[in-house]
């Protein structure tokens, strides 16, 4: 795969652009003593939808078109996010997928973005999609309710093989507007990740499009983790173009791909998580997938559809309270 510049360089350009619009995005910027620059998009800063769009662009190394889009949930219009990419394997899996657990002393965060490839996290993934990168700069997005310090940034930089002064960090918690936007922007990636765990060759996917509603802030970080997952599980719709000659095998994969193929489908994720004792290992991970999937196989010119949305579960998960305006 040929890109004009490395994904960390592309992420760095988005980061710099974010700095230029800092006031408009309602973010806060600070520099650690070791030179790492940090953008706070929701921990102490106000942040917002615009900051969330920028976080999403960072996560995907700016290899996707990301826009706001309306989503109708049971007759109620809510903001949603729409994602389109012609580099699905790289933008979604090599960069956006949050598969890096950042641990330093008592600090914990989930990391995504182009710096993941420098640290070689999920090396088998990079080998299977045939992607690697060497860079002197690194860009990472953290999902956490605590700002990183020098120890955290030094640990990340060391794993990336770069100087802490060449590391750029953007952060937002799950229970923030910006954080919820960037979770919904994972709708295309969630589908690719599900296929990857099923043993599917995601290199056959040539483009991806998706849309998901943006969850309102529904409570604390755990509640918002549940509702933001539900935005994709029950409201996420995706469309992929791919080259896959064995269309019968493709249909078998597709039938197992949507979230409705999971035994845990049908209730808000927070309820499922609570019933599992808040233990992720007791949750059926097959539920982490878009609600509806469309696949257009280019060679056969056939298009297959599977899955379904569930607006009733979304209304419950989002805590939508419909009032009678005549009262």
């Amino acid at each position: 795969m040929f890109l004009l510049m490395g994904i960390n360089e592309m992420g760095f350009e988005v980061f710099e652009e974010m700095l230029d619009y800092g006031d408009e995005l309602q973010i806060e910027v600070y520099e650690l003593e070791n030179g790492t620059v940090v953008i706070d998009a929701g921990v102490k800063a106000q942040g917002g939808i615009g900051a969330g769009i920028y976080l999403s662009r960072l996560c995907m190394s700016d290899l996707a078109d990301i826009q706001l889009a309306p989503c109708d949930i049971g007759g109620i219009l809510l903001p949603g996010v729409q994602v389109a990419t012609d580099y699905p394997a790289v933008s979604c899996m090599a960069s956006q997928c949050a598969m890096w657990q950042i641990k330093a002393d008592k600090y914990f965060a989930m990391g995504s973005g182009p710096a993941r490839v420098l640290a070689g996290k999920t090396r088998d993934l990079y080998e299977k999609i045939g992607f690697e990168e060497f860079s002197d700069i690194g860009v990472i997005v953290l999902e956490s309710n605590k700002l990183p310090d020098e120890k955290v940034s030094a640990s990340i930089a060391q794993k990336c093989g770069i100087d802490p002064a060449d590391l750029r960090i953007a952060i937002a918690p799950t229970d923030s507007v910006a954080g919820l936007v960037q979770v919904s922007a994972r709708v295309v990636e969630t589908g690719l990740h599900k296929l990857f765990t099923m043993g599917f060759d995601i290199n056959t996917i040539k483009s991806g499009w998706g849309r998901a509603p943006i969850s309102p802030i529904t409570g604390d970080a755990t509640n918002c983790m549940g509702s933001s997952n539900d935005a994709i599980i029950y409201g996420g719709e995706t469309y992929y173009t791919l080259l896959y000659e064995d269309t019968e095998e493709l249909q078998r994969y597709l039938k197992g791909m949507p979230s409705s193929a999971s035994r845990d489908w049908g209730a808000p994720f927070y309820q499922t998580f609570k019933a599992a004792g808040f233990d992720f290992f007791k949750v059926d991970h097959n539920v982490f997938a878009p609600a509806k999937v469309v696949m257009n196989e280019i060679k056969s010119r056939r298009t297959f559809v599977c899955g379904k949305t569930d607006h009733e579960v979304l209304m419950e998960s989002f805590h939508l309270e419909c009032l009678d305006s005549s009262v």
Side-chain angles (χ1 to χ4, degrees), residues 3-15 58 61-63 114 137 139:
L3 298 172
L4 291 175
M5 62 177 71
I7 61 174
N8 278 279
E9 187 177 351
M10 288 187 281
F12 184 84
E13 289 194 352
V14 176
F15 193 96
L58 285 173
S61 302
D62 216 23
L63 284 171
I137 56 174
V139 180

Side-chain angles (χ1 to χ4, degrees), residues 137-211:
I137 56 174
V139 180
I140 190 168
V141 176
L142 301 183
E143 191 173 327
S144 176
N145 60 5
K146 185 178 179 182
L147 295 170
D149 58 16
E150 287 81 4
K151 288 184 179 180
V152 175
S153 72
S155 174
I156 295 171
Q158 187 273 327
K159 289 180 173 62
C160 292
I162 62 175
D163 191 280
D166 295 319
L167 176 65
R168 299 293 181 266
I169 299 175
I171 182 171
T174 311
D175 54 340
S176 68
V177 175
L180 290 166
V181 171
Q182 69 87 16
V183 173
S184 288
R186 297 176 182 274
V187 60
V188 176
E189 174 262 308
T190 304
L192 261 77
H193 184 263
K194 176 69 174 289
L195 286 169
F196 181 77
T197 61
M198 295 170 70
F200 188 86
D201 181 6
I202 60 174
N203 287 313
T204 62
I205 300 176
K206 305 306 176 185
S207 65
W209 174 93
R211 182 182 66 177

Side-chain angles (χ1 to χ4, degrees), residues 115-136:
R116 264 187 49 236
V117 68
L118 303 181
K121 293 300 176 180
T122 56
R123 190 176 299 277
D124 61 328
L125 164 65
Y126 295 113
E127 290 175 352
K128 287 181 179 178
I129 65 175
F131 184 81
E132 63 178 357
E133 177 171 300
F134 303 95
S135 175
D136 294 329

